[in-house]
Amino acid sequence: MNSGRIPPMPFEPLPEGPDEQTQLAVSYQRLTVGSRSFRLASYFLPPAVRDDAARLYSFCRLVDDIADDSPSPEEAREGLALLEQDLHRARPFDPIVAAYLEVARRCGIDHRVSEELITGVLSDQYPVRILSDAELL
């Protein structure tokens, strides 16, 4: 089920949180491994925008990978709950979360955006029963 993507990366807590250089390096690593087309497209952006795009992409990819690549739905839900906790820390443990929060703060991205993303992928972890084609429309 991994399909070549890098799995969610657990990080040990750092007393001061990951520094900006680490945040950016981990974001570009995830971008490079997760999507060659997004990585190539990022070269059309100015450097500052490119860095922010890498940070945002990496966070979204992390959320999606936790949901899709966890061994079970229960582990996916647990991983997403831990990620959500990290979003609320003053100094997140995961450099991707720290990088996302920095972009969100700087660009005025409401915290509800990340919560809605997590809620959306969580909804995919539960069975859905569709009774008719009409329900799909």
Side-chain angles (χ1 to χ4, degrees):
M1 183 179 240
N2 190 322
S3 67
R5 291 181 281 179
I6 56 177
M9 295 180 276
F11 287 91
E12 291 298 317
L14 300 172
E16 70 284 346
D19 62 51
E20 188 171 342
Q21 185 177 6
T22 300
Q23 294 172 20
L24 192 56
V26 171
S27 294
Y28 271 105
Q29 175 193 19
R30 190 167 279 271
L31 175 63
T32 299
V33 173
S35 176
R36 288 184 301 207
S37 59
F38 279 148
R39 175 69 170 153
L40 292 173
S42 74
Y43 288 114
F44 291 100
L45 301 171
V49 175
R50 182 182 317 138
D51 289 350
D52 284 352
R55 290 174 173 111
L56 292 173
Y57 171 86
S58 296
F59 176 74
C60 294
R61 177 86 273 144
L62 176 64
V63 172
D64 193 57
D65 286 350
I66 291 171
D68 291 347
D69 297 342
S70 292
S72 69
E74 294 76 24
E75 289 177 74
R77 291 190 289 270
E78 182 180 309
L80 291 166
L82 291 171
L83 180 69
E84 196 161 24
Q85 288 174 10
D86 208 22
L87 282 165
H88 297 285
R89 286 189 173 84
R91 292 195 166 123
F93 298 152
D94 190 314
I96 291 173
V97 173
Y100 165 76
L101 289 173
E102 173 55 28
V103 171
R105 182 194 60 75
R106 220 175 342 93
C107 296
I109 299 171
D110 192 292
H111 68 89
R112 290 176 289 195
V113 171
S114 58
E115 292 171 359
E116 289 175 17
L117 176 62
I118 292 170
T119 299
V121 297
L122 274 172
S123 69
D124 292 342
Q125 299 299 312
Y126 296 95
V128 175
R129 187 167 175 217
I130 299 170
L131 299 175
S132 69
D133 289 345
E135 283 188 90
L136 293 172
L137 304 175

